[in-house]
Amino acid sequence: MKNIVILISGRGSNMQAIVEAELGDARVAAVIANRPDAAGLAWAAERGIATVALDHKAYADRLAFDRALMAAIDDFAPDLVVLAGFMRILTAEFTAHYRDRLLNIHPSLLPSFPGLDTHRRAIEAGCKLAGCTVHFVTAELDHGPIVAQAAVPVLDQDDPASLAARVLKEEHRIYPAAVRDVLAGRLRIDGLRVVASA
Ligand code: GAR
């Protein structure tokens, strides 16, 4: 049985979609949040999943927090670490430690719109398509080999909230599928590309 550790900062709807998905020979071993009040923690605990709250404000700097986070994650011997609305910039030490076993979902069609406020920026840029991207995490924020993407239309009457809701539905569809494919060994990283395993 493979172990997944999911990191969240808030609501955790992507975490919920992964917990509720058919993952084959894998299970969500733990959900860890950097905010003790993250709503997703209570949801996971109610379902008998181990939860850990690690308040980043209690640490002197980013590296001290990341080291504590790595220790908390590694207690669960993860095969895959999944960032699901985890709103912290990670150190190079952290991303190197989980190289090729760290996934993120980002609410834009990368490489467009890395960073925050993606839906407002897509609307203001006049994009006709928006979407979401699952990618392996590297030291460079919101870069890294792309595993899966889904696109949705941007409608004339959209505001950031309505576009976010349309994109989020796709996030809940592609993220569990990407987690399943990576854990099943159906994909391999070839430079910047993720391709089907031979
Ligand atoms: C999701 O839309 C996710 O793509 C985004 O935060 C939201 C979390 O929602 N992530 C980022 O912006 C990462 N930079 P959730 O807590 O309900 O899964």
Side-chain angles (χ1 to χ4, degrees), residues 19-42:
V19 166
E20 288 175 342
E22 175 46 60
L23 295 170
D25 187 30
R27 62 167 188 143
V28 176
V31 175
I32 301 177
N34 66 308
R35 299 174 55 108
D37 61 349
L41 277 185

Side-chain angles (χ1 to χ4, degrees), residues 7-17 40 83-88 104-108 114-119 131-133 135 141-142 164 167-168 171-172 175:
L7 306 189
I8 64 170
S9 293
R11 169 177 70 179
S13 71
N14 277 290
M15 175 273 293
Q16 295 180 22
L83 308 179
F86 188 65
M87 305 305 276
R88 296 281 307 165
N104 181 44
I105 190 156
H106 182 75
S108 79
L116 296 175
D117 227 358
T118 54
H119 304 303
C132 49
T133 304
H135 64 98
L141 180 71
D142 296 335
V167 171
L168 191 65
E171 296 185 35
H172 296 165
Y175 211 1

Side-chain angles (χ1 to χ4, degrees), residues 130-152:
C132 49
T133 304
V134 177
H135 64 98
F136 284 101
V137 177
T138 56
E140 199 179 346
L141 180 71
D142 296 335
H143 284 66
I146 291 173
V147 177
Q149 290 185 304
V152 302

Side-chain angles (χ1 to χ4, degrees), residues 59-142:
Y59 295 85
D61 55 32
R62 208 173 274 287
L63 188 56
F65 172 70
D66 275 10
R67 285 182 174 157
L69 185 58
M70 285 188 263
I73 293 169
D74 289 346
D75 276 348
F76 297 96
D79 296 282
L80 190 65
V81 177
V82 172
L83 308 179
F86 188 65
M87 305 305 276
R88 296 281 307 165
I89 291 173
L90 296 163
T91 57
E93 185 169 314
F94 186 99
T95 57
H97 184 67
Y98 297 107
R99 198 189 148 158
D100 298 352
R101 54 185 179 124
L102 181 59
L103 288 181
N104 181 44
I105 190 156
H106 182 75
S108 79
L109 292 171
L110 292 173
S112 293
F113 308 120
L116 296 175
D117 227 358
T118 54
H119 304 303
R120 184 188 57 74
R121 289 158 64 206
I123 291 169
E124 285 178 6
C127 295
K128 299 300 183 196
L129 288 173
C132 49
T133 304
V134 177
H135 64 98
F136 284 101
V137 177
T138 56
E140 199 179 346
L141 180 71
D142 296 335

